[in-house]
């Protein structure tokens, strides 16, 4: 078991897993990425592990089973916070798999609340008033509307995720995020009091991701694209360092 493992990540595809690992390393974390759930314990002293699955477009029940298996393995390695990573275009079918996997992880961890934001401004993926933009276009006006497996015809992420979830979905908008972590914490408390269990979070810049990050330290489970990762190492006192990317001899 790693003696310092802080973050256990579950990615729904391999390329997205690599994006996530890259963002964590750039922000100062030592990271191992695995292809699938390893058969044995982790043999590396790192800050984060990213388990890459191929669960984005498989049957929801299979995606749930694989994701929960990854969670169980990460818990056994000593991870203290968990991150379900999906695509920055939030692509999924009407049945999932983002919603079903999120709720299964919430059940397994017994957590009452989590966030959801695919925002990755460096890749031109931004969320404003709960609507996902690809560059200057709403998701529903982008090429994703014609995706052969997961056509995205609605840019309203609250509505998209609510259709996949039993729990109530709400919004933490850009005005709250702009006020910083304390405002985000207050909004989370307000949403929880209203019975909301999952909140889409606006972010139109990296500054937004960094502003919200301290408030996310208190959540056992995060769900997001890879953008949110840039602010998480700072919650553990880590800063960008060339040592984070060094490989063992």
């Amino acid at each position: 078991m790693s003696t310092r493992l802080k973050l256990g990540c579950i990615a729904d595809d391999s390329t997205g897993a690599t994006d996530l690992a890259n963002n964590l390393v750039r922000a100062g974390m030592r990271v191992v990425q695995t292809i699938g759930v390893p058969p044995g314990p982790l043999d590396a002293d790192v800050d984060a592990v990213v388990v890459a699955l191929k669960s984005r477009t498989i049957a929801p029940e299979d995606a749930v089973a694989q994701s929960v298996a990854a969670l169980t393995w990460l818990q056994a390695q000593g991870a203290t916070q968990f991150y379900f990573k999906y695509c920055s275009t939030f692509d999924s079918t009407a049945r999932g798999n983002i919603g079903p996997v999120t709720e299964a992880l919430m059940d397994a961890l017994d957590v009452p609340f989590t966030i959801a934001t695919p925002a990755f401004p460096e890749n031109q993926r931004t969320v404003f008033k709960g609507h996902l933009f690809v560059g200057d276009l709403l998701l529903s006006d982008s090429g994703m509307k014609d995706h052969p497996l997961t056509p995205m015809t609605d840019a309203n992420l609250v509505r998209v995720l609510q259709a996949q979830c039993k729990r109530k979905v709400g919004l933490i908008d850009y005005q709250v995020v702009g006020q910083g972590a304390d405002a985000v914490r207050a909004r989370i408390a307000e949403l929880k009091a209203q019975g909301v269990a999952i909140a889409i979070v606006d972010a139109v810049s990296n500054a937004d991701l960094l502003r919200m990050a301290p408030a996310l330290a208190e959540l056992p489970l995060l769900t997001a694209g890879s953008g949110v990762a840039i602010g998480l190492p700072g919650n553990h006192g880590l800063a960008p360092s060339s040592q984070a990317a060094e490989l063992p001899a």
Side-chain angles (χ1 to χ4, degrees):
M1 180 191 295
S2 171
T3 58
R4 70 182 192 186
L5 187 61
K6 301 171 179 66
L7 187 64
C9 308
I10 302 161
D12 67 358
D13 80 340
S14 296
T15 53
T18 305
D19 285 340
L20 175 56
N22 180 54
N23 277 351
L24 291 171
V25 170
R26 286 196 303 155
M29 276 189 163
R30 296 276 294 165
V31 183
V32 164
Q33 177 180 333
T34 74
I35 306 302
V37 180
L42 177 66
D43 185 24
D45 193 20
V46 293
D47 301 300
V49 177
V50 181
V51 177
L53 304 177
K54 294 182 180 180
S55 58
R56 182 171 301 166
T57 56
I58 64 177
E61 55 271 22
D62 294 333
V64 164
Q66 290 184 23
S67 300
V68 171
L71 172 68
T72 300
W73 183 84
L74 289 165
Q75 288 175 307
Q77 310 318 306
T80 55
Q81 187 179 44
F82 302 91
Y83 188 134
F84 169 42
K85 190 272 175 200
Y86 37 73
C87 187
S88 61
T89 50
F90 213 71
D91 50 312
S92 53
T93 68
R95 295 179 59 208
N97 292 336
I98 294 173
V101 170
T102 294
E103 293 198 294
L105 296 175
M106 292 178 76
D107 288 340
L109 291 166
D110 193 24
V111 297
F113 184 89
T114 189
I115 58 106
T117 181
F120 193 179
E122 287 184 9
N123 279 8
Q124 300 295 302
R125 308 290 193 266
T126 55
V127 182
F128 177 75
K129 286 290 185 179
H131 289 72
L132 179 56
F133 286 79
V134 178
D136 294 328
L137 298 175
L138 282 166
L139 176 66
S140 50
D141 293 331
S142 74
M144 285 302 299
K145 71 180 185 298
D146 300 315
H147 194 287
L149 296 177
T150 53
M152 299 304 294
T153 58
D154 189 354
N156 184 324
L157 300 187
V158 175
R159 191 161 54 214
V160 170
L161 190 55
Q162 187 64 80
Q164 301 177 13
C165 291
K166 297 175 183 177
R167 291 168 171 83
K168 188 175 180 181
V169 180
L171 175 66
I172 301 174
D173 77 7
Y174 74 101
Q175 293 173 310
V176 172
V177 174
Q179 295 172 52
D182 285 342
V184 173
R185 290 187 185 98
R187 178 60 175 157
I188 289 173
E190 180 183 16
L191 289 171
K192 289 169 71 174
Q194 295 171 2
V196 171
I198 307 168
I200 300 296
V201 188
D202 280 357
V204 298
S205 67
N206 277 2
D208 284 336
L209 298 175
L210 295 172
R211 271 190 286 265
M212 73 176 72
L216 305 182
E218 298 141 31
L219 300 179
L221 174 66
L222 308 175
T223 87
S226 57
V228 165
I230 68 170
L232 301 185
N235 290 340
H236 301 282
L238 298 172
S241 164
S242 59
Q243 293 178 335
E246 287 182 357
L247 297 175

